[in-house]
Amino acid sequence: MHPDAQNGSSKLDAKTTIGTFEALLSTWRGMCLAHAIPIFILLFPFIVGWRLFSDGDSQGNSYPASLFLYTFQGFENGLGFWNSLNAHGLTSWIQESSSTTLHAHLINLFLPPLQAYGMLLFINMTAGAFLFSMLLRRYKISPSAAWFGGFVFITAMWWNVAWASATMTPPAIAALLLSLAYLETHRRKAFIATFAVLLYSWYAVHWVWLPLLWTIGGCFTLFLSIEAWKREHSFSRSPIILYGAAFLLSTLFAIPKIAPALLLTHLSFRAGGVSWSSAALGGITPFTFLQTAFPYLQIPHIDFGQALGVYMGIFAYLCALCTWNKPTKAVKALTRSFVIFFLIAINHSPLYWMLQKIPPFSYIRGEGRWFPIASIALSAL
């Protein structure tokens, strides 16, 4: 075959392959499958029970919680939904042992504890990536770009993959943003969806992440409200008002979780909030920020400090930089969000110091916890 003809055939095959991939991703089923396959491969040893996470939170909280659910609520016990820990507050082990995290309870009915735990992580991380991609598709992002954005989002959240209640956070964040994105066009349905996500978050998401989840939703609705004001010059049906109403309603229905937590908080070392010395566990430094793009980077005789555990990848940063040539309203808002949350996440940040004085942020430790929120804006960019 002539070299020019062979080269032309290769280009045609590449275009056909890309077109097929785009067509696959253009449907919600294809998008879900495109995320599920790589995540399943990564978590396969944990799903089948060949490997276990060995960190303290998994060994002390998550695995025992899975064993508790399986032992006391399996088929041999009549598929009972209720257990004595369902209304005992928000502390980590109690929350993960609660059958009010409905899909965790259902998985434990059908699988042994170790496999159930691995499957729960797989479902949560896949749902997070898929829902974030669907959020980007809502704003007319191309299927392949939306898939890549979802993949970047879930890799930035991957540092939480070992903890069951923490892996509830990515799908909760993505589902909340997706429901809020429809507030202007489908108010009633979007309001119900927002309320449902917030309510389920009270019962399922790790309590440390709840204030950060509310902050993300608040920032997004603030942006939507500002845009609505510019168009209509009225706040009467503003997204932020609807979000506030959904939050208050979900809080009312979450009283069975909130009331015991308030009663038992005085027994915790975080009673009254944590001190600054306890809260400032470490945030972003120039070297740890480099490690979000180059995780294996090491320089002789230089201590990089405690790694954030957040991986973005150099390609994600390069793609984000390319958006600077298109200063749309969305790009500007996402850039500002990234900068603000990045500044909060800096080691010993003055902004973090101020936030740490305000409940419920006063109960959260670690400046670095704010960087994953900045990574959400970066993923969308």
Side-chain angles (χ1 to χ4, degrees), residues 52-347:
L52 301 176
F53 291 104
S54 59
D55 61 280
D57 286 328
S58 296
Q59 296 289 338
N61 292 328
S62 298
Y63 285 119
S66 184
L67 180 62
F68 176 87
L69 283 174
Y70 180 80
T71 302
F72 291 98
Q73 298 181 244
F75 282 101
E76 66 275 15
N77 291 312
L79 307 182
F81 175 78
W82 189 259
N83 73 55
S84 60
L85 296 179
N86 281 353
H88 275 60
L90 295 168
T91 53
S92 299
W93 191 86
I94 289 176
Q95 191 163 13
E96 294 191 7
S97 303
S98 168
S99 55
T100 52
T101 304
L102 186 58
H103 67 295
H105 168 65
L106 293 175
I107 293 170
N108 273 278
L109 291 179
F110 295 96
L111 293 174
L114 297 184
Q115 287 86 340
Y117 185 77
M119 184 59 68
L120 180 63
L121 303 184
F122 164 70
I123 291 174
N124 288 341
M125 300 307 273
T126 301
F130 166 71
L131 291 171
F132 195 82
S133 292
M134 298 309 292
L135 170 68
L136 298 180
R137 291 288 292 140
R138 162 69 175 146
Y139 290 101
K140 311 301 181 184
I141 304 299
S142 68
S144 56
W147 175 82
F148 179 70
F151 193 76
V152 171
F153 168 73
I154 211 62
T155 54
M157 293 288 178
W158 198 262
W159 67 296
N160 278 319
V161 72
W163 312 312
S165 59
T167 62
M168 307 286 185
T169 308
I173 291 173
L176 179 62
L177 294 177
L178 183 59
S179 61
L180 292 173
Y182 284 94
L183 272 179
E184 294 182 279
T185 56
H186 301 77
R187 289 181 186 273
R188 182 175 298 177
K189 292 181 180 179
F191 177 82
I192 294 172
T194 301
F195 160 73
V197 173
L198 289 172
L199 178 60
Y200 196 58
S201 297
W202 273 111
Y203 287 92
V205 174
H206 193 292
W207 66 271
V208 167
W209 283 97
L210 282 174
L212 305 182
L213 176 71
W214 304 331
T215 301
I216 294 167
C219 291
F220 188 53
T221 49
L222 180 61
F223 168 74
L224 295 177
S225 297
I226 292 173
E227 293 302 309
W229 168 260
K230 291 179 180 178
R231 291 193 308 269
E232 304 173 8
H233 297 286
S234 173
F235 271 121
S236 61
R237 302 179 69 186
S238 170
I240 202 166
I241 293 177
L242 295 173
Y243 174 66
F247 173 76
L248 292 175
L249 188 61
S250 68
T251 303
L252 178 65
F253 279 85
I255 286 177
K257 277 288 184 182
I258 299 171
L262 293 177
L263 291 173
L264 300 174
T265 296
H266 70 282
L267 300 176
S268 168
F269 78 95
R270 302 194 193 211
V274 296
S275 65
W276 171 249
S277 59
S278 299
L281 294 179
I284 294 175
T285 67
F287 297 117
T288 54
F289 179 65
L290 282 175
Q291 286 183 320
T292 65
F294 307 101
Y296 299 105
L297 178 65
Q298 292 183 349
I299 300 176
H301 310 297
I302 293 181
D303 181 12
F304 276 33
Q306 183 179 359
L308 292 176
V310 178
Y311 174 71
M312 299 297 298
I314 186 60
F315 194 56
Y317 285 110
L318 292 176
C319 288
L321 287 173
C322 291
T323 63
W324 288 8
N325 295 326
K326 302 175 182 179
T328 63
K329 294 177 181 179
V331 168
K332 291 179 180 178
L334 290 169
T335 303
R336 293 191 194 102
S337 299
F338 176 78
V339 171
I340 291 171
F341 290 116
F342 178 85
L343 292 176
I344 295 175
I346 290 176
N347 198 33

